[in-house]
Amino acid sequence: IKNKNLNLNKIKKSIELYNLDNNNSFLKDLSNDLQGYAIQNYPVLKNVINVLNLNKSFFSRMTGSGSACFGFFEDKFINKAIKNITKEYPDWIVKKAMLNDL
């Protein structure tokens, strides 16, 4: 398998442009085929995604095979979301990352 160098700033800009042009429809069309099956077997995954959404994530999903869940937040909501989630779920590992930090 060849590794390609990814221009993360270009990827971030593309997502931002799609979101502006299509009112987040680009993100809404993304799915994880395994997520439904994983949630059936591990309902806690649905809870994690619901918690992200309740804290103003505009896009929340399970990663590939469910080792983690993530949410995209507007800058103005992220810090409050982290504070709320870590307070309510102190055993969860919650990390903040910028798309261009990946």
Side-chain angles (χ1 to χ4, degrees), residues 1-98:
I1 298 175
K2 288 184 177 182
N3 287 333
K4 293 181 180 181
N5 285 334
L6 297 176
N7 182 334
L8 295 176
N9 286 327
K10 187 176 180 181
I11 293 169
K12 180 181 180 206
K13 191 61 132 178
S14 296
I15 291 172
E16 289 170 349
L17 288 173
Y18 279 118
N19 285 339
L20 288 175
D21 292 343
N22 298 313
N23 193 23
N24 293 327
S25 66
F26 169 73
L27 293 176
K28 290 176 185 172
D29 290 339
L30 296 177
S31 65
N32 180 338
D33 293 337
L34 185 58
Q35 184 169 309
Y37 298 106
I39 286 172
Q40 286 177 358
N41 291 301
Y42 302 97
V44 68
L45 293 170
K46 183 175 183 177
N47 182 48
V48 173
I49 292 168
N50 286 339
V51 168
L52 292 168
N53 291 338
L54 288 170
N55 281 278
K56 302 195 185 217
S57 168
F58 63 86
F59 181 78
S60 303
R61 291 287 187 274
M62 176 184 90
T63 60
S65 60
S67 62
C69 293
F70 65 92
F72 290 158
F73 294 83
E74 291 182 44
D75 286 341
K76 62 185 175 185
F77 299 126
I78 186 68
N79 290 328
K80 184 167 181 163
I82 291 170
K83 183 179 176 183
N84 290 344
I85 295 168
T86 55
K87 182 178 179 182
E88 190 169 345
Y89 299 93
D91 295 339
W92 290 9
I93 299 171
V94 179
K95 296 292 179 184
K96 175 181 173 180
M98 301 290 288

